[in-house]
Amino acid sequence: MAINKKLLSLLLLVSSLSSIALSSSSFSDPDSDSDLTNELVSLRSNSESGVIHLDDHGISKFLISSPTPRPYSILVFFDATQLHSKTELRLQELRREFHLLSATFLAANNNGSDLNKLFFCEIEFSQSQSSFKRFNVNALPHIRLVTASTSKLTDESGQMDQSDFSRLAESMAEFVEQRTKLTVGPIQRPPLLSKPQISVIVAMIVVAAPFVVKRILRGETLLHDHRLWLSGAIFVYFFSVAGTMHNIIRKMPMFLQDRNDPNKLVFFYQGSGMQLGAEGFAVGFLYTVVGLLLAFVTNVLVRVGNVNVQRLVMLVALVVSSWAVKQVVYLDNWKTGYGIHPYWPSSWQ
């Protein structure tokens, strides 16, 4: 009887130990941290810029299923191919800058201890709609940093603000360095021209130099054509009054899509906070018309011998100029709400 009790106790002990082992194995992650990191490294090596393309399965595997704290952080770029045609979103440009940021990080941390602490990934809406919902992403562009301690994907503390897109990859690098304390390094942009292209250009210059010098000495180049300078002056005038420099610096779109009717386009934005490119070109065209008429009247019309022709052309120029100025005043009042009032001499009142 004593032997049976000892045997029974031994069996119960073995059973309890096996149940504990089974329960502990059921709660453990089948992929260890090192295995996940090695798999991310392998996926990164297949990309030229180091950006890993993930889908719903990859997000679940590397972010949701992996317990925190993870041995790595992931910077996610959210993309949607169907929205690439909307230039105001600048998705394609921002995606190129994101790839450039990743390549710069790889170059700065090559063979370093920080190389595998941060991975750059992108997900596309048509392939990862569930991931977009998990991150609660409703608008693009959107870049999110998921740190090693982030447990909830809905946590928006790692979201990159719109101001971090202002200087493209440079401002993105500042965001990464500030949040992760890792070094990205100066952005390494590819040169505009490759060495073979530079060699071809230099060879063409050397071959063409004697012929160009000969034409310059004879005064037979485009630089000696007054029509070129006239066209250039008109272009510079239009470039200035159309606010083109403002559009380039602010990267303003030519038009927007109507929120109420997606099939309509908005060329004039009512409000002083923003100016579309089409607005500047329209006002610049009106200014250019007035300037050309003034130049024609003061430089060409005065040489016409017929006084009646001068008066008729002068009248037409005044009418067209008045109409153009009236349109500019109307657009300014419609956009900003400010009115322009004429001031007449006191003797006229």
Side-chain angles (χ1 to χ4, degrees), residues 8-18:
L8 181 60
S9 300
L10 181 61
L11 291 175
L12 289 174
L13 178 62
V14 173
S15 177
S16 61
L17 290 175
S18 62

Side-chain angles (χ1 to χ4, degrees), residues 207-248:
V207 173
F211 302 96
V212 173
V213 171
K214 183 178 180 180
R215 294 183 67 89
I216 291 176
L217 295 177
R218 290 183 178 181
E220 298 177 351
T221 64
L222 290 175
L223 297 178
H224 295 84
D225 190 352
H226 66 279
R227 291 171 295 184
L228 175 65
W229 293 101
L230 176 61
S231 302
I234 296 174
F235 172 77
V236 171
Y237 178 81
F238 176 81
F239 185 90
S240 302
V241 299
T244 311
M245 186 59 68
H246 168 272
N247 298 335
I248 295 175

